[in-house]
Amino acid sequence: MSETAKIILDGKEYNLPVVEGSENEKAIDISQLRAQSGYITLDYGYKNTGSTSSAITFLDGEKGILRYRGYSIEDLAENSSFMEVAYLLIYGELPSKDVFEKFDQNIRKHTLIHEDIKKILDGFPSKSHPMGVLSSLVTTQTAFYPESLDPSRSPEGVDLSIIRILAKMPTFVAWAHKHKLGHPVVYPNVNMDYCSNMLQMMFKMPGNDYDVDPVVSNALDKLLILHADHEQNCSTSTVRITGSSRASLYASVSAGINALWGPLHGGANQAVIEMLENIKADGGDTKKWMAKAKDKDDPFRLMGFGHRVYKNFDPRARIIKKAADDVLEKLGIQDPVLDVAKGLEAEALSDDYFVERKLYPNVDFYSGIIYRALGIPVDMFTVMFALGRLPGWIAQWKEMRENSEPIGRPRQVYVGENLRPYVPLSKR
Ligand code: ACO
């Protein structure tokens, strides 16, 4: 007989099925509990709640394991490319050489965006944060491709939306950057790979040649691989829950971009660099800032430290720390902020407060240092994260739709007023 969990409520016993994943992860299926007993479960921040079963990404926070479709993040970061990883995440298998070439060509073909996007972009004040611009531009695609709104589209139709969003995102990213600078936009170049094309759109200026440095585009490609998926985090859950109402891929991804923006999620990479610069400007006394982070009366937190699921180490942070050293060396850059970061990390790793709470550097701790070395401005850091996370969001949206998952709708425990009579305004 398969394993069950027993729960006793008001003296009555209920047997709940236990579900086991392919890596022996176990869960108690409580989906019938309310119907049978009237009880729901309560779990603030979903710290202990699985919202779905998924075949895309496996992570073990205790052991520091991260795998996409069964391939280790270390293997993929070392040997693959972001476009290949995108294909793997979305379609489930590594592509053959022919299939990959077709996919890559198809992406290149769709990088151009409608000229009217320029008018929309012009409506944004130049001080707009590029994350807000990006999420808006992604939503505009529902207007340019209204057929994408149909939830019962053919697989070919859904596939076209997938290709379009993957292809156009670097153009949106680069144009959001150009708009902020007040510079003319640069058009995509179909002869260039994904990252090189985006870099030329970001950094080419009229009258000035811009040669993409392969060190820069390879480093960016690796960073995007590391960010490509991370199972049911805040932004991915947002994408799935938005899509569960049968909202289009573009609308769902746009929602994910907004969820990623916050400083406790993807916005941490911007917050980390700002924090490191503050510490440096303040004289570089890392002990003082460590003390602030530990003081419960002080709102300051060590940005880039701690993670909801990694309680040992974040495997992405290890790869990024090494990549930061490599990139800075290859580009001949000495960044004093890297020394502040390493000093903080060394102190935190031997500090009781951080050790007891299992707080380790996360993916965002060193990524900002690399982005800066690559010439990417601070307010574009989270935008780069969004670009990297795009294949994961697409894969999760597609999986949710293909599994015909029900609309996401959590319950609550109501703690407000009981029924009371309305008192007319004149009598108050
Ligand atoms: N600095 C100081 N203390 C911290 C930090 C930190 N960065 N992170 C957690 N803590 C402390 C909390 O105060 C809490 O202490 P307590 O037990 O004495 O109350 C304990 O560690 C547990 O922290 P929670 O906030 O309960 O953990 P949770 O899993 O809810 O939050 C989070 C995880 C949001 C990532 C948190 O560690 C944090 O705010 N880190 C800084 C922001 C950051 O780097 N975010 C990026 C995460 S990676 C990503 O999203 C891509």
Side-chain angles (χ1 to χ4, degrees), residues 265-283:
H265 192 14
N269 54 16
Q270 174 170 346
V272 169
I273 277 289
E274 285 164 357
M275 173 190 79
L276 294 173
E277 277 180 341
N278 272 343
I279 297 176
K280 190 171 118 322
D282 188 52

Side-chain angles (χ1 to χ4, degrees), residues 47 263-266 268 293 296 301-308 311 353-354 357 359 362-364 385:
K47 289 194 179 198
L264 296 191
H265 192 14
K296 294 290 172 200
R301 275 191 169 197
L302 205 53
M303 298 313 287
F305 261 77
H307 198 277
R308 171 58 61 80
K311 301 298 178 193
Y353 174 99
F354 284 85
R357 288 169 180 76
L359 302 171
N362 60 48
V363 68
D364 286 327
F385 192 156

